[in-house]
Structure formats: structure tokens, C-alpha cells
Amino acid sequence: PPPAKTKAVPPPPPPKAAAKAQAAPAAPIFDDEGFVESRKAAPSPAAKAVPKVGSLKFPQLVNTVVPQEWVETKDYVRQGQLQPGDIVMVSRSDGTTRFGEVLKKAGFPWQDNWEVVVSTFPNGAAGASRVEEGVMLGRPLPKALSALLSSAPAEVKIAPPPPTRAA
């Protein structure tokens, strides 16, 4: 019998996923309770080193003390809509009321929780933040806020915390 004719079959192209599988696995991230957080990829060291600049509208006001002469309904209100970038008043654990800036909505869609930046880095990027209930956030009225911004020096100084009592 004559030999069978065979066709040369080119090899299949390498799968794209194989290149990703050869990369080193990311280090695990641990949540507050010490469990491995599998839903997030580990951030690169470069991303941690330099905070994003320009993410805040009013970095000069964040963490500054609210004037003591401000009166509710005259200078600020506690009700109304919030959106990212709004300046709000936050009660701090040291007993002072300071300005913060709304970063984003937090929690479930039906909750009135907001992530608020309460301190900044020296370059003006968002520093520490915390989640606050919307009804607890004072909202400066435009007139009071514009008066505060126009009277503020070019660089607002952050007031030191009140002195602690000696026991």
C-alpha cells in the first residue's frame, strides 16, 4: 500500500494566560481581623510611597478648627445633600470641631454614610479618613464658607490639640 499523506499542522499559539501564570504571586493582604483579603490585589510599593495630589478641592481647610462663633442655621446646617468634594464639620475625639472634606459615599446605598478626609499630607493629598453618618456632619453655608476662605491667609495653620489635664 502507498504511504498515507499527512498534512503538517502548525503548533497552537501559546495561551495568553500562561504569561500571567508565570508572574510571581502577589503578597496576601490581611484585613483588620487578621484574615486574608482575597478580593484585593496587593498595591505596588510605588503606589504607597507617593500619595495622589490634587484629589481634594480644599486641602487648606481640612483639619482646621471651625470658628467658635459659628452658629447653627446661621453659619452651617446639619441637613441637606452631600457629594464628594463638599466641606463638612466633623467632631473629633479631642473635643474640637474641625473641617473635613467628603471623599465618597460609604456603606450600603440606602445608608447616609460618607467617607470624610480628616487630615492631609504636607503636599495637600488626602491623609487619614473616617466614615461618618451624614446627619452628624455640619455643612457650612456658602456665605460663611466664602467669608472664611476670603479671610484665610495663603496657608492656613493647623491649630494644636488642646492641652491634656495632668492627673
Side-chain angles (χ1 to χ4, degrees), residues 17-38:
K20 291 181 183 177
Q22 293 174 355
I29 296 176
F30 297 94
D31 63 9
D32 294 337
E33 289 89 25
F35 295 101
V36 174
E37 179 65 62
S38 61

Side-chain angles (χ1 to χ4, degrees), residues 4 6 10 13 18 27 35 39 75-76 80 84 87-88 98-100 115 117 120 123-124 128-129 141 143 146:
T6 59
F35 295 101
R39 292 172 278 166
D75 299 305
Y76 68 94
I87 292 294
V88 292
R98 297 178 183 251
F99 289 109
E115 185 174 351
V117 176
T120 58
N123 65 357
S129 66
L141 295 173
K143 183 178 176 184
S146 63

